[in-house]
Amino acid sequence: MATLTNSFEGGTAGDTITTGNSGGSSGDAWTLTGDTAGGSCTYSATGPSHGSRCMAVTLGATGGAVRRGWSVNAADSTTSQWLRLYVDPGSVSGTTSPARGMNVGSGAQRWRLQVTAAGVVSLHNNTNGAVWSSTALSAGQQWRVEVMVGGTTSSTGRVWVYAGDATTPSQDSGDLSAVNFGGPTREIWYGQTNSAANIALRLDEVGWSDTAPLGPATSPTTSGALAASLPPLSVAAAGSARSSGATTVLLPGLSAALTGAARAPGAASVSLPAASVALVGGASSAGVLAAGLPAVSVWAVGSARAAGLVAADLLPMVAAIAGRSADTGPAKAQSASDVAGRRRSAAVVSAGHASRSEVTRG
C-alpha cells in the first residue's frame, strides 16, 4: 500500500520538470516522462494553490502529450485507487486531460479525467466514454478534484470537487456503479496526458494512493528565524522583588498572558494559543527597580520625633501611596510596627515672656 504526492515546491520557476529534479522538497520524484516536440512541462511561480510553485503545461500547433507520471500498483491489484489535483479553470485553454490511468507501457487507457476552459470536469472510462460531468466551475478559484477508480471492467468510481481545501464537496458524483475501467491502473499520469494541440493548464498538489482518499494538501513549512507580532504583555506581580541598594517591595503573584500570531519568513503562518507563566518567589534585579504597583497602605503607631525641637506622641497614621515607583536609595516600609525602648516627650509652653521645657526619660 502506498501514497505518492508532488507539490512542485522544490523546483526553480521556468525549469523543465524532470525525474531528476522533482523529488526532495517537492515530494515523490516522477518515474515517467513523455513530451511532444514544441510542448513544455515546467515549474511555474504563477498560480500555485499552495506555496510558491506549480506545474505549467503548454502545447502548440503540434499535437501530442506533455506529461509526468509514476509507475504504481506493482501487484496488479484490482482494488480501488484514489487521485488528487488542484486546478483553476482560469489557467485552462482548450479541452485538457490533466490526469490519466494507463496499463504498463501506456498501451491502453484505464480512465481519464477531463477539464475544459469552461470549467467542466468529467470522468471517462477505458473506451473514453464520459461516466460523469460536473457543472461549470468558476475561474479564478482553486478547485480540488479527487477521484476514486476501480480496476475491473465493472467497478465503482466516484468524483468529488471541493473549493480549495474545503472538507465538504461542492459537487459529488456519488458512487458510479459498473464502470468499465478495463483493468488495474499501473501508471498514473499528470499534465496534458493525451494527444492534443493548442492547450495550456496549470496543476498543483497532485497525488495518488491505493490506501484512501488524499484529502486537502497542507501548506509547506518554511524554516528560518521566527518573527512574531504580538499584543501587549500584561504582568501582575507576586512575591518579593529587591532592587540593588535598598528597596524591598512585597508584590502579588506574577502572571503573563501571550496570545496572537507568528509568521515565519516565506509564507507559513502559525497561530499561538493563550499561554500563561506563573512566578512565585523572589526576584532580584541589580540596579534600580521601577514597578507599576497597586495602592500600598502603611500604618505607623508609636512616636515620631522632629529633630531639634519637638517629639510628640501621635495617633495611628495612615498613608496611601499608589502609582509607579523607582527607588534607588535606602528605603523601607514597615506595617504594624511597635517602637520600644527610649521615649522622649517634650512640651513647649509659651505664655507672655515665659518659656519652659521638660524632658522625661522612661
Side-chain angles (χ1 to χ4, degrees):
M1 309 296 278
T3 297
L4 303 171
T5 62
N6 198 290
S7 67
F8 308 102
E9 288 300 303
T12 300
D15 284 1
T16 297
I17 298 171
T18 69
T19 56
N21 69 12
S22 55
S25 59
S26 294
D28 296 290
W30 302 109
T31 59
L32 304 169
T33 62
D35 291 339
T36 296
S40 66
C41 181
T42 60
Y43 294 103
S44 175
T46 302
S49 66
H50 299 75
S52 60
R53 296 288 184 272
C54 62
M55 169 195 275
V57 173
T58 60
L59 269 165
T62 301
V66 177
R67 56 188 182 170
R68 299 293 180 267
W70 292 302
S71 293
V72 298
N73 189 24
D76 212 33
S77 172
T78 60
T79 58
S80 295
Q81 299 178 28
W82 292 265
L83 66 132
R84 179 192 70 200
L85 60 83
Y86 283 75
V87 63
D88 173 4
S91 75
V92 176
S93 296
T95 297
T96 67
S97 297
R100 193 180 189 192
M102 304 290 287
N103 69 341
V104 175
S106 293
Q109 175 175 295
R110 299 306 192 203
W111 51 268
R112 184 165 74 192
L113 191 70
Q114 183 172 286
V115 179
T116 70
V120 176
V121 176
S122 55
L123 178 64
H124 297 246
N125 63 17
N126 82 312
T127 61
N128 212 35
V131 297
W132 181 81
S133 295
S134 73
T135 59
L137 306 176
S138 58
Q141 160 79 54
Q142 290 285 343
W143 297 93
R144 183 174 94 252
V145 181
E146 301 208 34
V147 181
M148 179 183 73
V149 297
T152 71
T153 57
S154 182
S155 297
T156 300
R158 189 163 183 169
V159 182
W160 300 266
V161 180
Y162 300 84
D165 293 334
T167 56
T168 300
S170 299
Q171 298 185 49
D172 182 351
S173 70
D175 285 345
L176 305 169
S177 60
V179 178
N180 180 6
F181 290 110
T185 297
R186 295 293 307 277
E187 297 176 359
I188 175 78
W189 291 91
Y190 292 96
Q192 175 51 39
T193 60
N194 72 310
S195 182
N198 300 313
I199 66 94
L201 78 156
R202 290 191 295 269
L203 302 176
D204 202 6
E205 299 290 355
V206 299
W208 168 90
S209 178
D210 61 0
T211 304
L214 285 91
T218 56
S219 294
T221 299
T222 303
S223 61
L226 178 66
S229 177
L230 304 171
L233 181 69
S234 65
V235 176
S240 245
R242 175 179 287 279
S243 73
S244 169
T247 305
T248 300
V249 182
L250 292 178
L251 304 171
L254 174 65
S255 65
L258 175 64
T259 184
R263 177 173 292 279
S269 177
V270 180
S271 292
L272 301 177
S276 65
V277 178
L279 175 62
V280 178
S284 176
S285 76
V288 178
L289 175 64
L293 303 174
V296 178
S297 295
V298 178
W299 290 268
V301 179
S303 298
R305 174 172 177 162
L309 291 177
V310 180
D313 288 332
L314 302 175
L315 293 174
M317 176 180 69
V318 178
I321 302 170
R324 182 175 181 83
S325 68
D327 298 309
T328 58
K332 181 175 289 187
Q334 293 181 331
S335 65
S337 60
D338 296 324
V339 178
R342 296 175 62 89
R343 182 180 65 187
R344 288 176 181 266
S345 67
V348 177
V349 179
S350 177
H353 301 285
S355 67
R356 177 184 176 190
S357 85
E358 177 181 329
V359 177
T360 302
R361 294 179 179 274

